[in-house]
Amino acid sequence: MLPYSVLLVLSGILIAIAERFWPRVPTQRLLRRGFFLDLVYLFLNAEIFGALVSIWLASQIPVKYIQPWRETLGLNGIVSFPVWLQLTVFLVVKDFFQWLVHNLMHRIPVLWHFHRTHHSTEEMDWLSNWRFHWVEIVAYQLVLYLPATLVEVSSEAAYGCAVISTLIGHLAHANLRLSLGPLEYILNSPTLHAWHHVHPDYGPTDRNFAISLSLWDWLFGTAHLPKETPKRLGLRESDLATSLPQ
C-alpha cells in the first residue's frame, strides 16, 4: 500500500487538474486567495496535529480498557469479516458520528467559534478541505475514539476508510461543476457541499453537514440541493474578523 500522505497529495493533484477543465467558478485562479494559507493547514492538520492527538488519546484510554466492552457488545467478530465489509461497517459508523459532531459545531456557540475557521474560505477548492482549527481535531477524535476502537477492523480496512474519506473530502470541496446524480442521496459532492459553505446572505445556513455520506442529511432533513450554484461563499465580516487563529 502507498503511504497515506502520498495518496493525499496525488488525489489533490488529480482533482486540481480536473478543476482546470470543469470548474464550478471558471474565474477562480489556481493560486486563489488563501491558497498558501491552506497549504500550511494541510501540513499541520494532516501530518502533525492529527498524529499528536491520536497518540495522546491512546495514552489516556488504552485499548485494553475497551476490549471487555467490545466482547460484551459482540463486536469482536467484525475483524473476521471480509475486508470490504469491515470497511463498509467502519465507514458508516465513523461517518455518522462525524456528521453528529459537524452538526453540533454549527449549533453550539463555543464549537462554532472554532469551526468558523473552516467556513472563512471565500474561494473553495480541494485544499479547503484542510482549513480547520486544531481544536476541531480534538473534538472529532474525542468523540470518534470510542466507537472507532470498539469497532475493531483490520489495518487494511482502516486504511481503505481513510483513503475513501480523504478522496470524498477533496472532491466535495473541489471547484468542480460536478453532479453525482442519484448518488448524491448517498455520497457528498461538490454541488452539495458548496451550499454548506454558502454565505449567510446568499442562502440557508446549517445545511448539508455530510462528511462522506450525504444520506444522513436526507434522513434527518438537513439536505439542501437547488439547481443553481451558490453566488457567494464565506462568512459575514463580524465572523470573518475572528475566524482564524491568532
Side-chain angles (χ1 to χ4, degrees):
M1 294 185 293
L2 285 174
Y4 172 77
S5 57
V6 173
L7 282 170
L8 185 155
V9 173
L10 285 177
S11 68
I13 291 172
L14 289 174
I15 291 176
I17 293 171
E19 287 175 330
R20 298 303 95 201
F21 289 96
W22 304 284
R24 181 179 59 83
V25 182
T27 56
Q28 184 171 302
R29 298 170 300 154
L30 175 63
L31 301 181
R32 45 123 182 125
R33 285 176 293 170
F35 179 86
F36 293 104
L37 174 64
D38 288 343
L39 276 179
V40 175
Y41 275 112
L42 169 64
F43 175 71
L44 292 177
N45 289 335
E47 297 296 330
I48 296 178
F49 291 143
L52 289 176
V53 173
S54 295
I55 292 168
W56 176 77
L57 274 173
S59 69
Q60 298 301 306
I61 316 173
V63 174
K64 66 180 181 180
Y65 295 134
I66 299 173
Q67 180 68 31
W69 289 99
R70 192 186 292 157
E71 294 173 357
T72 302
L73 295 171
L75 298 174
N76 276 337
I78 292 176
V79 74
S80 64
F81 293 173
V83 172
W84 68 267
L85 186 53
Q86 293 180 54
L87 191 157
T88 302
V89 171
F90 190 57
L91 177 64
V92 170
V93 171
K94 172 175 171 285
D95 192 73
F96 178 64
F97 279 94
Q98 285 179 308
W99 181 88
L100 285 175
V101 174
H102 191 188
N103 199 317
L104 292 174
M105 283 188 171
H106 281 256
R107 302 182 190 280
I108 299 176
V110 68
L111 295 179
W112 171 247
H113 175 77
F114 297 106
H115 184 58
R116 61 188 174 184
T117 293
H118 183 65
H119 283 263
S120 66
T121 184
E122 296 177 339
E123 293 184 312
M124 192 165 70
D125 60 19
W126 72 272
L127 199 55
S128 306
N129 186 36
W130 297 98
R131 180 187 292 200
F132 49 85
H133 198 284
W134 63 268
V135 170
E136 281 204 44
I137 300 176
V138 176
Y140 274 110
Q141 294 210 24
L142 278 173
V143 173
L144 288 171
Y145 182 75
L146 186 58
T149 308
L150 277 172
V151 182
E152 182 189 17
V153 295
S154 65
S155 58
E156 292 84 0
Y159 175 81
C161 183
V163 170
I164 290 171
S165 297
T166 299
L167 288 175
I168 295 176
H170 285 178
L171 183 66
H173 289 85
N175 179 31
L176 281 175
R177 189 177 67 254
L178 175 67
S179 170
L180 301 182
L183 282 177
E184 285 182 325
Y185 289 101
I186 301 173
L187 300 176
N188 201 3
S189 72
T191 48
L192 277 167
H193 203 64
W195 280 104
H196 177 70
H197 281 265
V198 67
H199 189 282
D201 295 335
Y202 290 81
T205 57
D206 300 340
R207 297 292 187 272
N208 300 353
F209 298 107
I211 304 298
S212 296
L213 305 178
S214 62
L215 62 90
W216 312 122
D217 285 311
W218 295 105
L219 284 173
F220 294 104
T222 53
H224 180 70
L225 187 59
K227 292 182 179 179
E228 67 272 14
T229 189
K231 291 185 172 62
R232 183 180 174 187
L233 307 180
L235 300 169
R236 292 193 179 103
E237 290 298 324
S238 56
D239 269 336
L240 193 61
T242 54
S243 62
L244 297 174
Q246 302 298 315

